[in-house]
Amino acid sequence: MKAAEFITPAVAEYAAAHTTPPDALLSELAEETRRLMGDRSTMQIAPEQGTLLTLLVQLSGARLAVEVGTFTGYSSICIARGLPADGRLIACDVSEEWTSVARRYWAKEGLDSRVELRLGPAADTLRAMPTDEHVDFAFIDADKAGYPVYYEEVLTRLRPGGLIAVDNTLQHGAITDPTAGGNVPVMREFNALVARDDRVTSVLLSIADGLTLIRKHAAGTR
């Protein structure tokens, strides 16, 4: 196994600089989020993750997507942009305050008819959805303790070949530190859960704060 020892801060910055950058609308949203949310603005995904999300949705041919954790809307815009004109994104969040910003930017981008916001605990929202494997793509980026529940509920509804992207799986590099507290032990358990799940194929990418991609197998296949 080769360790990614080359991912120094300078290399990470170089990689980000050579990725398609955010456009004016996403840059405006990022700046407003920093202004309004202060330290909480770190909850927003990195620009290179947004570019990757759009690309993944496009490549997967997704028509129905689910997002767990919307915040001010950056990731939802990136996902919705990757969907076809008749595609739909179900965005799950608990905050009216944060998602009020998202609503304004969905309208600016002409995506408000493509995004359906469902306010309330995401676990309840997911459990209320049909279980007929109709979701094509999902992005999980919410409270870390809830990840195992969100993962299972999404996977149950994901079509074979569908894709889940999970954020913050490296925890700023602390994931390998056995003494680290906070969300690190929870995330370490989640990463182990996914790695041993024989229903999926997964890869943990060292982009931003760690992004795990998970593809669901068809029954009886790998």
Side-chain angles (χ1 to χ4, degrees), residues 7-198:
I7 302 297
T8 62
V11 172
E13 290 174 9
Y14 181 89
H18 290 79
T19 298
T20 300
D23 61 11
L25 181 111
L26 288 173
S27 296
E28 180 186 347
L29 172 55
E31 178 55 37
E32 181 169 346
T33 299
R34 283 190 289 270
R35 188 173 67 253
L36 292 177
M37 303 299 170
D39 291 344
R40 291 181 299 183
S41 64
T42 58
M43 293 167 58
Q44 187 169 257
I45 63 169
E48 60 269 26
Q49 285 179 295
T51 302
L52 179 59
L53 285 178
T54 301
L55 188 61
L56 289 172
V57 174
Q58 291 169 332
L59 289 172
S60 68
R63 303 184 70 84
L64 177 61
V66 172
E67 176 182 67
V68 181
T70 296
F71 194 39
T72 58
Y74 194 109
S75 55
S76 57
I77 290 173
C78 295
I79 294 168
R81 282 177 169 178
L83 296 169
D86 61 347
R88 185 163 62 107
L89 169 62
I90 297 172
C92 307
D93 206 286
V94 295
S95 174
E96 177 66 48
E97 175 193 359
W98 297 345
T99 56
S100 65
V101 179
R103 287 179 187 272
R104 286 195 284 107
Y105 280 85
W106 295 338
K108 282 187 178 185
E109 183 67 357
L111 294 171
D112 44 343
S113 63
R114 198 177 301 180
V115 183
E116 178 186 344
L117 177 63
R118 297 187 183 180
L119 286 173
D124 294 344
T125 299
L126 294 171
R127 288 172 180 142
M129 293 172 59
T131 57
D132 57 356
E133 298 185 316
H134 65 300
V135 175
D136 301 303
F137 181 88
F139 180 51
I140 299 175
D141 183 20
D143 62 293
K144 309 315 168 193
Y147 272 27
V149 172
Y150 304 146
Y151 171 67
E152 190 60 39
E153 294 300 331
V154 167
L155 191 65
T156 298
R157 292 155 178 82
L158 193 72
R159 65 165 172 81
L163 187 66
I164 303 173
V166 184
D167 198 17
N168 304 120
T169 48
L170 287 180
Q171 291 291 292
H172 304 287
I175 199 71
T176 59
D177 180 357
T179 68
N183 286 319
V184 174
V186 171
M187 188 59 69
R188 194 180 295 124
E189 290 179 10
F190 174 76
N191 290 340
L193 179 155
V194 172
R196 65 175 178 260
D197 191 343
D198 61 8

